[in-house]
Amino acid sequence: MKIDSRDLRYFETIAELGHLRKASDQLHLSQPALSKCIKRLESSVGAPLFERIGRGIQLTAVGEVLLRQARRLNLMTTAALREVQDFACGASGVVRIGCGPIIAESLMPGLCERVLEQMPGIRLTITLGMNYFLRDELRQGNIDFVLGLVPEADSEFELHPLMDDTVVVAASPAHPLFRQSTVGIHDLLDYQWVLPVAEVASRAWLDRQFRTRGLPLPKAQIEVNATPMMLGTIAHTSLLCFVSRLSLARLGPSSATPLMEIPVAETTLQRKLGLTLLHAPLSPAVERVVELLRGDAQLLGPSPAVQPGS
């Protein structure tokens, strides 16, 4: 039996809200109309899609599978409509990029310049945020891809690592730790830190390095969802931070707010930066930018080789 695309859009809203009345208010449709929508879909798939929980409803296992497919189909429909609209108005396309703070401050200006040189007709929109926020935006179809941290594996997304990144402990050149001949992980516990919030992957990794060695966790005096915004403060205090070498490359000894790496092997994180996409068709403009990024690693540039203490 054929499934109506409108039923899938209504089903997605019902599933996300978990309540027929709320979905009715948001969609401006009656509850009986939405109930019929659910019945049509259940008849098509041959199984219940929801079960009642208290005053609300929640998806069955079959409903979860249908929701994933409905989101993918709805995104495909939206992308196709956007392509037709772009063609109709004579534009060559809009590319919506979600960007993490490291790439935003270190690489995005040069990246935009290179992309626009090769694709002068496109329009870029850039959303800044941490990976956990940008991935939600990607799921909702609000951005086309994320340019930032790429995990080792995640079946939900299509991942394309493009460059290496190293995250290290850093502090002001005047910090007392630089007067020690050697610095170990235990020494880092004597000072307060500026750290990412708990949802940030690098913070979880850093905490794990201390926890697995039976040590107390680093003492966060300031928590922030984007450490680069606090680097000026760190440079004028005895605070420690956990920051990408891409950021340190801009804050050497000649900078107005210098920071230097404190070399500690146990707290040096190697990771990948690159592209995160949904498993879904891309608009022509987005596909061209993705191919450009994947085909020319120099668009992102090599990871700066920042020597500890330099």
Side-chain angles (χ1 to χ4, degrees):
M1 183 180 295
K2 183 179 178 181
I3 293 180
D4 193 312
S5 61
R6 287 177 300 179
D7 283 349
L8 288 178
R9 291 197 299 272
Y10 299 156
F11 165 73
E12 185 176 350
T13 300
I14 297 166
E16 289 173 349
L17 296 177
H19 202 287
L20 269 179
R21 181 183 58 77
K22 293 179 180 178
S24 172
D25 292 342
Q26 181 167 315
L27 294 168
H28 305 292
L29 292 170
S30 68
Q31 292 187 48
L34 293 181
S35 295
K36 290 179 181 178
C37 160
I38 294 173
K39 289 179 180 178
R40 285 193 297 270
L41 290 172
E42 289 179 334
S43 176
S44 295
V45 302
L49 299 175
F50 292 97
E51 56 187 356
R52 185 163 296 280
I53 300 294
R55 296 185 177 182
I57 53 177
Q58 73 174 21
L59 290 168
T60 62
V62 174
E64 292 281 2
V65 173
L66 181 62
L67 178 60
R68 288 198 297 271
Q69 297 301 324
R71 284 173 171 164
R72 184 173 292 114
L73 290 170
N74 290 337
L75 285 171
M76 290 171 60
T77 301
T78 300
L81 179 60
R82 190 168 69 243
E83 179 183 348
V84 173
Q85 290 171 335
D86 288 343
F87 179 81
C89 69
S92 56
V94 177
V95 178
R96 305 165 302 162
I97 303 174
C99 184
I102 299 301
I103 287 182
E105 67 165 358
S106 303
L107 304 170
M108 185 55 73
L111 172 62
C112 288
E113 183 178 347
R114 291 285 302 279
V115 170
L116 294 176
E117 282 177 359
Q118 300 192 38
M119 302 173 61
I122 71 166
R123 181 163 60 90
L124 299 176
T125 65
I126 300 171
T127 300
L128 301 182
M130 303 306 292
N131 246 36
Y132 59 87
F133 165 75
L134 294 175
R135 286 180 168 224
D136 282 340
E137 289 292 283
L138 186 59
R139 291 185 184 98
Q140 297 300 319
N142 296 328
I143 56 178
D144 296 308
F145 61 83
V146 176
L147 192 54
L149 174 65
V150 175
E152 292 184 0
D154 191 329
S155 60
E156 182 182 3
F157 299 103
E158 183 180 331
L159 307 174
H160 299 284
L162 299 176
M163 65 179 294
D164 296 321
D165 182 38
T166 305
V167 187
V168 297
V169 179
S172 161
H175 198 282
L177 284 175
F178 288 116
R179 295 196 288 270
Q180 296 183 198
S181 57
T182 59
V183 178
I185 189 171
H186 297 78
D187 299 310
L188 303 178
L189 293 170
D190 295 334
Y191 299 92
Q192 298 279 356
W193 292 65
V194 173
L195 287 173
V197 294
E199 294 84 355
V200 176
S202 61
R203 169 68 180 279
W205 183 92
L206 182 67
D207 284 349
R208 193 159 57 247
Q209 305 317 299
F210 286 85
R211 187 181 296 112
T212 56
R213 291 169 173 81
L215 298 172
L217 299 184
K219 295 171 285 189
Q221 191 163 20
I222 300 175
E223 291 185 304
V224 63
N225 67 352
T227 302
M229 66 184 289
M230 296 300 298
L231 297 182
T233 298
I234 298 164
H236 296 106
T237 66
S238 61
L239 293 166
L240 301 176
C241 66
F242 196 51
V243 65
S244 168
R245 283 182 178 164
L246 289 170
S247 294
L248 289 186
R250 302 184 307 104
L251 298 170
S254 61
S255 167
T257 55
L259 287 178
M260 288 169 46
E261 176 182 337
I262 299 173
V264 179
E266 297 93 333
T267 56
T268 298
L269 167 62
Q270 304 292 339
R271 63 184 186 178
K272 297 286 186 180
L273 301 178
L275 292 164
T276 300
L277 305 96
L278 290 173
H279 295 287
L282 305 174
S283 73
V286 174
E287 188 169 2
R288 284 188 63 193
V289 172
V290 168
E291 289 177 352
L292 187 63
L293 287 167
R294 293 185 62 193
D296 186 357
Q298 294 305 310
L299 282 175
L300 289 181
S303 301
V306 178
Q307 297 301 321
S310 63

